[in-house]
Amino acid sequence: MGTELLIASTLAGLNILLLAALTFVWARNYRTFRTNTILGLIAFGAVMLVENAMALYFFFTMQMFYGSDPTVQGAVAVLRALQFVALVFLTWVTVK
């Protein structure tokens, strides 16, 4: 596994943790407020959780797709990093 793919895998794992925390907070808020907006946030969090879990699975099982081209590995790592930054801001705003 290349360095970029290892970074992408780590970021996907961190994204899963942030999304789990966000989904937990949104589910707790939904029990209180029962609004469609919060229900949408729960659905968003669940779908993003599945997407990151699948990405992590593919990183470990299908390295041949990413391993042959360092440019692709770098692009995947940058996309995971951007998603991580967005989730950090969303988590900060939600918890604050």
Side-chain angles (χ1 to χ4, degrees), residues 25-61:
V25 169
W26 293 331
R28 190 181 62 197
N29 288 344
Y30 182 73
R31 280 188 286 168
T32 303
F33 300 110
R34 301 267 181 205
T35 65
N36 288 336
T37 302
I38 296 174
L39 195 57
L41 289 172
I42 292 169
F44 170 79
V47 171
M48 291 299 291
L49 265 171
V50 171
E51 189 272 339
N52 277 283
M54 289 181 68
L56 205 52
Y57 172 77
F58 285 127
F59 290 155
F60 285 109
T61 61

